[in-house]
Amino acid sequence: MKKFLFVLLSLIIVLAAVLTFNTLSLTSKQVAPDPLQKMEFPANAYQHLSKAVQFETISYSEDAIPDSTAFNGFHQFLQETYPLIHEKLTLEKISDYSLLFKWEGSDTSKKPIILMSHQDVVPVDQPTLSDWEAPPFAGKITDTHIIGRGTLDDKSSLMALMESIETLLKESFTPSQTIYLAFGHDEELGGSNGAQKIAAYLKEKGIHAAMTLDEGGLLAENMVPGFDKTIAMLNLAEKGYASFNLIVETKGGHSSSPPKDNTLGMLAQAIVDLENNQLPYKLVKPIDYQFEYMGAEMPFFKKMAFANPWLFKGPVLKALNAHTTTAPTIVEGGVKDNVIPTVGKATINFRILPGETIASVKEHIEKTVGDKVKVELAGFAVDPSPVSGIDSEAFKTLEKTIRSVFPDVVVVPGLIGGGTDARYFYGVSDDVYRFYPIRISPESFSRFHGIDEKISKENYREMVEFSYQMIKKFN
């Protein structure tokens, strides 16, 4: 017995030593900020964003034709508001409404960079209009905020780029490397006629960039329980996207004599089975970077969990949502309350973790729901993106810019669950990143695609400043 206790105690001591060593070895990955020369903030920047919001550049559905009046009106507004950009940069229109500006650099030996945003916004749910502080397309400016659809997603980043470049042109600044501005018009529908066509155009022209930067990374405030520092999520990749229809077909019948295999009951069971048998949490790239960068800034005992993922990864992966998610979103079936429907259909949306694919998700669904339920891919779908690196000069420049403009934030490479237009640019770029400094907290996160979308004046000022300093850092 004593020997057993001695062995057990020895194992505990060894385990404690390993955990402590790994924890102490996990040191901060944050780079030192550089001093910056402040830009002169454009006098009418808030009014310009307000005006941009007033153009109802809405993406309704893949089948809907874009509103030419709204998009062309927005383009005319940009031309009038930023005359130097339209004088000094060349402009190509792709698929009629997407914009590709080229700012010629002075050093042709340098690879260009591509800075992205998108013009379109999602519709507003009409029943929610009374819950908005101001009408969603009025662009109201208050003492503290600019209100309206697109202020967060994504006209703020588009307008911040335009403001910063117009300011740089006024200062007679010329970039050493060529800069492309790629503004798609259908990102909210998947980007197949906008960003995808822009990327194809660049590829056809033989253009290959050092970096592409798009939306999809944020300044996250109080988004991680127990972590009081603001996190700058510099995302290296995005999950894949796919929706599948579950279809149940039966002979139906009269509700007074329901069959054992009821159409909607089978469909409901399939949904429950999928929710109860979700794909596993996994430590894959770039999730492992989150462990290193975020964990190093944690208090000792929390750091221990991040420093020893081989033992503690389960709860952390769950907190990071590091798996392929399963979300039932649409259910259809039935024509009358006393008729068993012959067809029932449910749509399930999946955000696919790197390392898994649309095909592997379909296989998982079919295995889970059984052969009585038909499984069909529904609409737009894309596999997870490749994962960009953290050792490139482009990443280091972005990291340095973020830390210089926001010296109190913690830069963390990560993975975004939503989709962006950036997915199309891996073929024309060495690395693809996602970050603009929109500040998000648990209270404001629901404003994305939601009710009362708005951005603070101070945050918009930060976005313009960041864009200005980033361009200067790269050049």
Side-chain angles (χ1 to χ4, degrees):
M1 185 66 179
K2 287 184 179 179
K3 185 176 181 180
F4 171 76
L5 291 175
F6 177 77
V7 172
L8 180 61
L9 180 60
S10 299
L11 290 173
I12 291 172
I13 292 172
V14 170
L15 176 62
V18 170
L19 295 177
T20 302
F21 177 79
N22 288 343
T23 304
L24 294 175
S25 298
L26 185 58
T27 56
S28 179
K29 306 292 188 294
Q30 302 306 301
V31 300
D34 285 340
L36 297 174
Q37 182 179 352
K38 289 286 184 182
M39 74 173 293
E40 183 177 342
F41 188 72
N44 295 315
Y46 300 140
Q47 289 75 16
H48 294 162
L49 178 57
S50 166
K51 183 65 176 177
V53 167
Q54 294 172 45
F55 292 93
E56 299 186 26
T57 52
I58 300 171
S59 282
Y60 287 101
S61 70
E62 293 177 43
D63 300 325
I65 298 171
D67 184 339
S68 59
T69 300
F71 280 97
N72 288 331
F74 181 55
H75 298 168
Q76 183 63 35
F77 157 71
L78 292 178
Q79 185 172 345
E80 293 169 357
T81 306
Y82 305 109
L84 287 178
I85 289 177
H86 287 80
E87 177 188 339
K88 303 292 185 181
L89 281 63
T90 60
L91 172 61
E92 293 281 347
K93 285 196 175 184
I94 311 293
S95 298
D96 296 327
Y97 304 111
S98 287
L99 305 177
L100 179 63
F101 291 93
K102 180 183 180 182
W103 192 3
E104 193 74 52
S106 59
D107 187 348
T108 56
S109 68
K110 285 188 173 183
K111 288 184 178 180
I113 61 173
I114 303 168
L115 306 177
M116 298 181 64
S117 183
H118 64 87
Q119 306 167 60
D120 59 321
V121 299
V122 295
V124 176
D125 239 352
Q126 294 302 304
T128 70
L129 285 174
S130 61
D131 297 322
W132 285 68
E133 183 179 345
F137 293 102
K140 182 177 179 179
I141 302 174
T142 70
D143 290 342
T144 56
H145 287 79
I146 303 100
I147 303 168
R149 180 62 89 221
T151 50
L152 295 176
D153 186 11
D154 183 40
K155 283 180 177 171
S156 54
S157 60
L158 187 156
M159 295 298 289
L161 286 170
M162 297 296 277
E163 293 287 354
S164 62
I165 293 172
E166 188 78 4
T167 300
L168 287 164
L169 289 170
K170 287 178 182 177
E171 296 172 358
S172 300
F173 176 84
T174 300
S176 59
Q177 61 195 138
T178 296
I179 298 174
Y180 289 93
L181 306 177
F183 301 151
H185 73 278
D186 63 343
E187 190 273 348
E188 301 294 356
L189 303 176
S192 57
N193 286 314
Q196 188 173 23
K197 296 288 178 65
I198 294 174
Y201 173 86
L202 293 172
K203 189 170 186 177
E204 183 183 334
K205 297 291 183 182
I207 294 160
H208 195 89
M211 177 203 75
T212 293
L213 181 70
D214 196 7
E215 63 165 340
L218 306 162
L219 293 179
E221 300 174 324
N222 302 314
M223 295 293 283
V224 178
F227 192 70
D228 59 0
K229 297 179 181 178
T230 298
I231 298 172
M233 292 302 303
L234 178 48
N235 288 318
L236 313 180
E238 62 187 62
K239 286 183 173 181
Y241 179 103
S243 291
F244 288 89
N245 289 331
L246 309 183
I247 302 169
V248 177
E249 296 176 328
T250 69
K251 294 181 179 180
H254 199 286
S255 65
S256 63
S257 301
K260 179 182 177 182
D261 290 332
N262 187 303
T263 310
L264 297 186
M266 293 168 65
L267 185 63
Q269 187 62 57
I271 295 171
V272 170
D273 288 344
L274 281 173
E275 289 198 304
N276 290 340
N277 295 277
Q278 299 204 25
L279 286 154
Y281 293 90
K282 295 179 182 178
L283 182 58
V284 298
K285 286 198 181 307
I287 304 296
D288 54 352
Y289 294 139
Q290 291 182 262
F291 273 71
E292 295 174 17
Y293 279 70
M294 193 184 303
E297 309 302 321
M298 295 281 187
F300 184 82
F301 287 107
K302 287 185 178 179
K303 182 192 287 190
M304 185 176 288
F306 285 81
N308 296 278
W310 56 276
L311 185 60
F312 300 113
K313 69 180 179 181
V316 179
L317 289 175
K318 195 168 186 179
L320 295 175
N321 204 21
H323 75 138
T324 294
T325 56
T326 303
T329 53
I330 304 172
V331 177
E332 304 172 47
V335 292
K336 198 172 184 294
D337 65 347
N338 64 348
V339 177
I340 303 291
T342 57
V343 179
K345 184 171 78 170
T347 302
I348 318 293
N349 181 252
F350 296 84
R351 302 303 174 102
I352 306 169
L353 192 71
E356 295 168 357
T357 64
I358 297 167
S360 67
V361 170
K362 185 177 183 182
E363 183 180 349
H364 161 74
I365 299 169
E366 291 173 336
K367 182 179 178 181
T368 303
V369 304
D371 55 11
K372 291 183 179 180
V373 180
K374 188 187 301 183
V375 179
E376 295 180 350
L377 188 63
F380 172 81
V382 64
D383 281 323
S385 76
V387 179
S388 292
I390 62 171
D391 297 321
S392 68
E393 284 302 315
F395 179 86
K396 292 173 182 177
T397 302
L398 283 173
E399 185 180 35
K400 179 68 81 170
T401 305
I402 295 168
R403 288 279 296 154
S404 299
V405 178
F406 309 101
D408 296 328
V409 309
V410 176
V411 176
V412 178
L415 170 72
I416 180 175
T420 70
D421 275 344
R423 68 170 73 92
Y424 298 115
F425 284 75
Y426 284 90
V428 292
S429 189
D430 291 342
D431 287 293
V432 177
Y433 301 109
R434 298 156 184 82
F435 178 81
Y436 286 112
I438 295 175
R439 291 187 180 269
I440 291 297
S441 65
E443 297 74 31
S444 63
F445 190 72
S446 63
R447 298 188 195 279
F448 276 93
H449 288 199
I451 298 169
D452 208 28
E453 185 177 348
K454 60 185 175 182
I455 190 170
S456 73
K457 288 179 174 177
E458 181 56 37
N459 189 197
Y460 185 57
R461 176 186 286 267
E462 291 174 328
M463 293 182 69
V464 176
E465 171 86 10
F466 169 79
S467 301
Y468 174 91
Q469 300 292 356
M470 173 183 62
I471 291 169
K472 293 188 77 172
K473 275 283 184 191
F474 270 94
N475 294 276

